[in-house]
Amino acid sequence: MNTAIESMYKWSDINWRKLERSVFKLQKRIFQASNRGDVKVVRRLQKLLISSRAAKALAVRRVTQDNTGKKTAGVDGLKSLTPKQRLPLVDKIKLSNKVKPTRRIWIPKPGTEEKRPLGIPTIEDRARQALVKLVLEPEWEARFEPNSYGFRPGRSCHDAIEAIFLAIHSKPKFVRTYARNI
């Protein structure tokens, strides 16, 4: 990035609401095309969104500012980025780059002495994953069943409980439980 252009743009001067709106409009178009079954348009819009500077900036922001794991270091040792380091990262994100290895940490399992592995990617790789999530989520939201609730944006356990209640509250239902002898 040129120093003249770099001084023109600052991380704090970015209009995030405008970026979110433009990314959302593209995501909405992807969702609608996926609902229609128009795969060609879906792919074209996804390529447009992946190359969009707005989507890349949002991905970097989610990883470096909004995410609770933002201060977790990967293999590269970077824990957090300053606003001056975030703008070059936006320009650096490309899907063709090879990913760096993940940092492996062993976390104890609750109640036992066993441990499970946890891989922590670098900040750049996390931003790349966030970008891909922005691109793929609208297509798959259109394909999912309307009554599935697990790990979907805008859905929670309370929504699932409410759906079950609405399905069974009008008339009595028989529910069979299987008790196991322990």
Side-chain angles (χ1 to χ4, degrees), residues 35 139-150 152 155:
N35 264 345
E139 177 189 4
W140 287 98
E141 275 299 312
R143 293 182 182 196
F144 283 146
E145 293 291 324
N147 59 349
S148 68
Y149 291 89
R152 287 181 61 188
R155 304 270 178 119

Side-chain angles (χ1 to χ4, degrees), residues 41 51 139:
V41 172
S51 62
E139 177 189 4

Side-chain angles (χ1 to χ4, degrees), residues 116-177:
R116 69 175 183 86
L118 175 68
I120 302 171
T122 62
I123 290 179
E124 184 182 342
D125 292 338
R126 283 182 261 174
R128 199 176 289 140
Q129 288 174 357
L131 178 63
V132 170
K133 181 182 178 225
L134 282 173
V135 172
L136 291 178
E137 216 169 41
E139 177 189 4
W140 287 98
E141 275 299 312
R143 293 182 182 196
F144 283 146
E145 293 291 324
N147 59 349
S148 68
Y149 291 89
F151 298 105
R152 287 181 61 188
R155 304 270 178 119
S156 68
C157 293
H158 296 291
D159 295 329
I161 292 168
E162 182 182 359
I164 292 168
F165 174 77
L166 291 174
I168 66 172
H169 84 284
S170 59
K171 53 187 174 184
K173 302 279 186 214
F174 176 76
V175 178
R176 176 173 288 204
T177 58

Side-chain angles (χ1 to χ4, degrees), residues 89-104:
L89 180 60
V90 170
D91 296 326
K92 196 175 173 185
I93 296 176
K94 288 184 180 69
L95 292 186
S96 59
N97 295 353
K98 189 174 180 184
V99 297
K100 293 178 182 71
T102 58
R103 184 172 147 216
R104 181 73 71 190

Side-chain angles (χ1 to χ4, degrees), residues 27-160:
Q27 286 179 320
K28 189 174 176 183
R29 288 175 61 193
I30 292 170
F31 180 84
Q32 290 167 342
S34 183
N35 264 345
R36 286 192 312 264
D38 197 347
V39 178
K40 196 173 183 181
V41 172
V42 169
R43 296 294 175 257
R44 185 176 53 81
L45 290 170
Q46 284 176 333
K47 284 179 185 175
L48 181 64
L49 188 57
I50 276 222
S51 62
S52 160
R53 198 168 195 302
K56 290 177 182 181
L58 272 179
V60 169
R61 182 175 189 223
R62 291 204 176 132
V63 168
T64 59
Q65 288 180 286
D66 300 342
N67 193 355
T68 54
K70 62 188 169 202
K71 293 191 185 221
T72 308
V75 172
D76 57 355
L78 288 174
K79 282 194 174 183
S80 60
L81 297 179
T82 63
K84 284 185 179 180
Q85 292 173 315
R86 291 179 191 144
L87 276 176
L89 180 60
V90 170
D91 296 326
K92 196 175 173 185
I93 296 176
K94 288 184 180 69
L95 292 186
S96 59
N97 295 353
K98 189 174 180 184
V99 297
K100 293 178 182 71
T102 58
R103 184 172 147 216
R104 181 73 71 190
I105 293 180
W106 292 90
I107 298 175
K109 287 185 177 181
T112 65
E113 293 193 20
E114 277 186 86
K115 293 185 176 188
R116 69 175 183 86
L118 175 68
I120 302 171
T122 62
I123 290 179
E124 184 182 342
D125 292 338
R126 283 182 261 174
R128 199 176 289 140
Q129 288 174 357
L131 178 63
V132 170
K133 181 182 178 225
L134 282 173
V135 172
L136 291 178
E137 216 169 41
E139 177 189 4
W140 287 98
E141 275 299 312
R143 293 182 182 196
F144 283 146
E145 293 291 324
N147 59 349
S148 68
Y149 291 89
F151 298 105
R152 287 181 61 188
R155 304 270 178 119
S156 68
C157 293
H158 296 291
D159 295 329

